[in-house]
Amino acid sequence: MNGLLLLAIAAIILVLAYLLYGRYLVRTWGIDENAKTPAVEKEDGVDYVPSNKWGVFTHQFSSIAGAGPVTGPVMALVWGWLPAVLWILIGGVFFGAVQDFGALYASVKSQGKSIGGIIEEYIGKTGRRLFFLFCWLFTILVIAAFADMVEGTFNGFSATDGSTVHSNGAAASISMLYIFVAIAFGLFLKRYKISESLKFIVSIALIILMLVVGIAFPIYLDKTTWGYIIFIYIFFASITPMWLLKQPRDYLTSFLFIGMIIAAVIGVFVYNPTISTPAFTAFETTSGYMVPTLFVTIACGAVSGFHSLVSSETSSKQISNEKDMLQVGYGSMLLESLLAILVIVVVGSLSSLVSDGTLNTTLATLATADGATPFTKFAIGVTGLISKLGFPQEYGICIMTMFVSALALSTLDAVARIGRLSFQELFQEEDEQKSSFNNILKNKYFATIITLVFGYLLSLGGYSNVWAIFGATNQLLAAMVLISLSVFLKVTGRNGKMLYIPMIIMLIMTISSLSLSVYSILSTWISTGTIDLLTSGLQLIIAILVMALGILVAYLDLKKLLQSKVS
């Protein structure tokens, strides 16, 4: 299959979806451009911060994109590129983008309440508590999977001979610079009001400077050390005001996302690659059965429950006008779907780059090495494609590795904050008689630490062992959110029938996948007679818990949906 043709077809489908189906949802549900949004009414400079639509869009896209649209599609190529592409396009348009926009819409229309708060209002307090416990367990899985991938990407030493890996060291150096520059940029923007054009110019200049300095002065640390550093970073990222770190970092990172996408697209145009990966391999592979496993392997890019948390926990508190919600909610998801297709084109063509000698010996070895991460494969693929323009591969791999690492770090700092908020809301009480122990549990520092401790322990098992459970939990969250949104829409007199088929499909696929994961862990335990409590044991406990919680919340939601009358 010609990669350029596939990318063009996907882009046309996604643009038409935005113009037709996205606007259909706006007309069906209705928006009020003159209404005061929660960001305006509750502005506090920390969580409620009214922003222009491009500012919120960059936050939403940076937070939801993360490493998901790179990791999931690459892993799904084991079944062939065609099933992956079909799920991304169908899921992105009718499942994912609808969920992201719906969660943002419901939150803005409900005084900025999170999905858990909306569940409490329309389903009850029990549903809210179960949902937040589920969300908290889910954030632990996200932290574990993406932290391990970033640690591996930043590892400055080769696993084979212990030699230094310049691309990893440079990516790590640039990423660390990004954190401190983002803080300085946030302080500057807080003190001085500058035009958007000047803000753009300054951002580009800062990015170029960081790339030059990072490549010239790489940081060589091992994976374990980077693990400590990353968890320290996401601790502070989850408790600092949005304007100080998260917003400026998302704004700067958005240029990396755009740059990465542009570089990959230009590479595809110049090289005009042929996807060498088979269109379809087999229904059953070493990764499991295509159904249901494909539907949980590709989450970001098709549909991801995590996106609803970003939409309702953070983005809804920054929307300054309801008319911006379509671009922020529906549009950012479709852009992520396009990125997922681009990843399939690039990585699906990787063997061609190796066989025709486009990649130098070092990159060809890295690309074909056992254990090469999806990050590595995508970074090498884009580097090979753009090298046709004469761009040195030794610099290209440093920049591209940093780009994909930035995706994961953006997810980590977003999910750490969401994990903290979910834990706090789990113990939120309305009555005035609050125990001192309850106050400790709601403390943002304690909530953050307990979340990160469990995330760190689970990360020790490696992202590949966590991904199946993470993916299924993520998609089960999407199913619960879709059902909850259906209740919200019905109770508030809006048409939510377009959510019924997606929520049923996701519920069936996720429960099936989680059941298979539990069966696999138990089978291994029985056959070997041993289990690692900090990795497999913790995975087993979380898998059983999230499955039980998901079924309970879905039951409460469906019961309310069937009983509800249109107001």
Side-chain angles (χ1 to χ4, degrees), residues 180-192:
F180 295 104
V181 169
I183 294 174
F185 194 42
L187 290 169
F188 175 80
L189 294 177
K190 185 71 173 178
R191 183 176 179 84
Y192 303 102

Side-chain angles (χ1 to χ4, degrees), residues 65-75 260 300 339-340 343 347 374-376 378-379 404 407:
V70 174
T71 306
V74 172
M75 296 176 72
M260 182 184 73
C300 297
L339 174 58
V343 169
V347 178
F375 281 11
T376 302
F378 180 66
V404 293
L407 298 174

Side-chain angles (χ1 to χ4, degrees), residues 35 95 170 202 258 275 285 396 404 428 454 504 538:
F95 290 60
V202 172
I258 294 171
I275 300 176
T285 68
V404 293
Q428 188 69 42
F454 279 103
I504 292 171
L538 193 55

Side-chain angles (χ1 to χ4, degrees), residues 420-461:
R420 184 258 293 177
L421 291 171
S422 296
F423 192 86
Q424 287 179 291
E425 291 202 60
L426 179 61
F427 297 99
Q428 188 69 42
E429 294 288 351
E430 293 182 0
D431 59 81
E432 296 298 327
Q433 298 179 349
K434 302 181 178 72
S435 67
S436 57
F437 181 67
N438 196 64
N439 288 332
I440 292 173
L441 293 175
K442 290 191 303 178
N443 179 274
K444 71 176 181 179
Y445 301 106
F446 179 84
T448 303
I449 290 172
I450 195 71
T451 301
L452 298 186
V453 165
F454 279 103
Y456 176 77
L457 291 176
L458 201 59
S459 72
L460 299 177

Side-chain angles (χ1 to χ4, degrees), residues 508-560:
I508 293 172
M509 294 299 171
T510 53
I511 296 299
S512 301
S513 182
L514 280 169
S515 299
L516 289 174
S517 294
V518 170
Y519 174 78
S520 176
I521 295 173
L522 288 175
S523 297
T524 303
W525 186 5
I526 293 171
S527 63
T528 61
T530 60
I531 187 170
D532 188 333
L533 294 178
L534 290 181
T535 54
S536 299
L538 193 55
Q539 290 176 35
L540 177 62
I541 293 170
I542 291 178
I544 293 174
L545 278 175
V546 296
M547 186 161 54
L549 289 169
I551 292 172
L552 284 172
V553 174
Y555 167 76
L556 293 173
D557 276 343
L558 287 170
K559 182 180 178 181
K560 184 67 175 182

Side-chain angles (χ1 to χ4, degrees), residues 292-310:
T293 314
L294 171 67
F295 296 89
V296 299
T297 299
I298 300 180
C300 297
V303 56
S304 169
F306 168 67
H307 295 188
S308 68
L309 303 184
V310 176

